[in-house]
């Protein structure tokens, strides 16, 4: 019994390592990065026909969700459903706060992941470049084929579908999407509730 318990524990620890630290090492090699990846930040934009656009920032530390570091943003300067401009705005606001060492934004990412393809990557890169952070590692993950686009490369990086690196990327992307959708739904519900309350005669 003791031997079986130990074997199960070792297998569980190996699975956990493979899905976190092992996946980060695998991703670092696939992207050709020089520095280790510790803090990953992933961004997603959510709106319905351009209304109430919001963005999420999800953080994985050591390959695991770090929910106390999650942040959410209301889009302030973009009219309509312009995901590219919205991504640029959010990253500019977040990273400017990081450069200024604003409370809650002091920790800078070792890798930024944006949901989307080359367009989102370009918008994100422009935000980094505007702050002198163009060397910060940045990738985008396109949904359809789960292709990874990297700054300076025309062709995507294709990760094996069963690789721990791709599974980690899809986990953080899906979590960013979930967090953005939840925030957006909350705002819409509040707006509906407020409009209903205003119709109640005093």
């Amino acid at each position: 019994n003791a031997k079986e318990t130990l074997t199960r524990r070792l297998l569980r620890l190996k699975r956990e390592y493979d899905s976190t630290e092992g996946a980060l090492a695998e991703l670092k090699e696939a992207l050709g990065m020089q520095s280790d990846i510790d803090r990953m930040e992933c961004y997603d934009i959510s709106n319905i026909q351009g209304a109430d656009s919001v963005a999420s920032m999800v953080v994985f530390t050591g390959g695991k969700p770090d929910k106390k570091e999650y942040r959410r943003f209301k889009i302030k300067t973009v009219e309509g459903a312009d995901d590219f401009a919205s991504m640029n705005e959010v990253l500019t606001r977040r990273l400017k706060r990081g450069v200024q060492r604003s409370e809650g934004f002091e920790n800078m990412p070792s890798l930024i992941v944006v949901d989307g393809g080359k367009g989102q990557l370009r918008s994100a890169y422009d935000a980094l470049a505007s702050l002198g952070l163009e060397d910060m590692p940045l990738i985008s993950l396109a949904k359809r084929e789960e292709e990874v686009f990297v700054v300076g490369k025309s062709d995507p990086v294709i990760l094996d579908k069963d690789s721990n690196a791709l599974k980690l990327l899809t986990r953080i992307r899906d979590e960013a999407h979930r967090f953005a959708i939840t925030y957006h739904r909350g705002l819409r519900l509040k707006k509906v509730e407020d409009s209903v309350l205003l119709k109640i005669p005093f």
Side-chain angles (χ1 to χ4, degrees):
N1 287 342
K3 184 177 181 180
E4 288 180 5
T5 299
L6 177 61
T7 299
R8 285 197 299 270
R9 177 172 172 76
L10 290 174
L11 286 172
R12 187 173 68 252
L13 289 173
K14 183 180 185 304
R15 283 195 300 269
E16 182 176 331
Y17 173 84
D18 288 345
S19 66
T20 55
E21 295 175 56
L24 289 172
E26 190 178 313
L27 184 59
K28 173 187 173 182
E29 182 177 355
L31 298 177
M33 292 176 58
Q34 300 301 312
S35 301
D36 290 341
I37 304 169
D38 177 41
R39 180 186 172 98
M40 295 172 64
E41 293 184 3
C42 186
Y43 296 81
D44 187 37
I45 307 295
S46 179
N47 62 68
I48 293 182
Q49 296 179 337
D52 299 321
S53 289
V54 301
S56 65
M57 168 185 140
V58 161
V59 179
F60 276 25
T61 302
K64 300 177 182 178
D66 193 352
K67 294 192 176 183
K68 70 181 185 302
E69 293 290 310
Y70 286 17
R71 301 290 182 267
R72 53 194 191 183
F73 305 82
K74 286 183 181 178
I75 303 302
K76 297 179 178 179
T77 64
V78 180
E79 295 291 335
D82 188 338
D83 286 358
F84 297 159
S86 296
M87 185 65 73
N88 184 285
E89 178 195 320
V90 169
L91 276 171
T92 300
R93 286 166 57 189
R94 181 272 179 267
L95 293 171
K96 185 178 290 185
R97 291 178 187 177
V99 170
Q100 295 170 346
R101 309 292 292 172
S102 299
E103 185 177 355
F105 292 90
E106 308 96 322
N107 297 321
M108 296 290 265
S110 46
L111 176 65
I112 293 176
V113 182
V114 295
D115 180 33
K118 288 184 177 180
Q120 280 83 358
L121 183 70
R122 182 76 238 181
S123 297
Y125 177 77
D126 288 345
L128 269 63
S130 71
L131 298 169
L133 300 173
E134 56 269 20
D135 291 331
M136 182 174 284
L138 167 69
I139 62 174
S140 67
L141 179 62
K143 282 189 179 72
R144 182 174 297 177
E145 299 295 334
E146 306 291 23
E147 294 173 322
V148 179
F149 291 97
V150 181
V151 175
K153 295 183 179 180
S154 57
D155 295 326
V157 174
I158 306 298
L159 299 173
D160 189 281
K161 298 295 183 184
D162 295 321
S163 70
N164 289 309
L166 183 58
K167 289 176 182 176
L168 177 61
L169 286 179
T170 55
R171 275 202 307 276
I172 194 171
R173 190 269 314 282
D174 292 347
E175 177 70 347
H177 183 67
R178 181 200 65 78
F179 194 53
I181 289 291
T182 301
Y183 182 37
H184 191 250
R185 283 176 181 161
L187 289 179
R188 283 190 291 126
L189 181 59
K190 185 177 186 303
K191 184 176 287 188
V192 169
E193 290 174 343
D194 288 346
S195 64
V196 169
L197 288 173
L198 288 172
K199 293 178 182 178
I200 298 174
F202 291 95

